[in-house]
Amino acid sequence: MVPDTCLLYTTEAEAQRRGCDRVTVSSFTFQAPDFDQRHGYVETGRTLGIPGGHADVHMFKPLASGLTH
């Protein structure tokens, strides 16, 4: 498993263990919003005006009772 993916799954599992039922993240367009979307995160909005013509992409993912990967 790719280290970034392993870290994401570990973080989601820990959030769930602590009673969280959802996760929100943001990623600049010059970073890796596609990574989050490939792992079930849905874009909920963007903050425009980041220098260089970029945006801050806001995403959401519900955590199911049992994480599936």
Side-chain angles (χ1 to χ4, degrees):
M1 184 179 302
V2 178
D4 291 344
T5 301
C6 185
L7 178 61
L8 178 65
Y9 291 162
T10 300
T11 302
E12 289 176 352
E14 179 62 16
Q16 215 172 8
R17 186 187 73 76
R18 293 179 181 215
C20 298
D21 63 358
R22 68 200 77 169
V23 178
T24 61
V25 298
S26 70
S27 180
F28 294 115
T29 51
F30 61 84
Q31 291 177 318
D34 292 342
F35 171 83
D36 297 310
Q37 291 170 338
R38 283 194 309 271
H39 291 90
Y41 288 79
V42 176
E43 183 175 330
T44 58
R46 289 182 179 225
T47 301
L48 305 176
I50 304 300
H54 297 287
D56 188 2
V57 183
H58 307 281
M59 290 173 271
F60 169 86
K61 179 180 179 180
L63 294 177
S65 59
L67 288 174
T68 56
H69 304 294

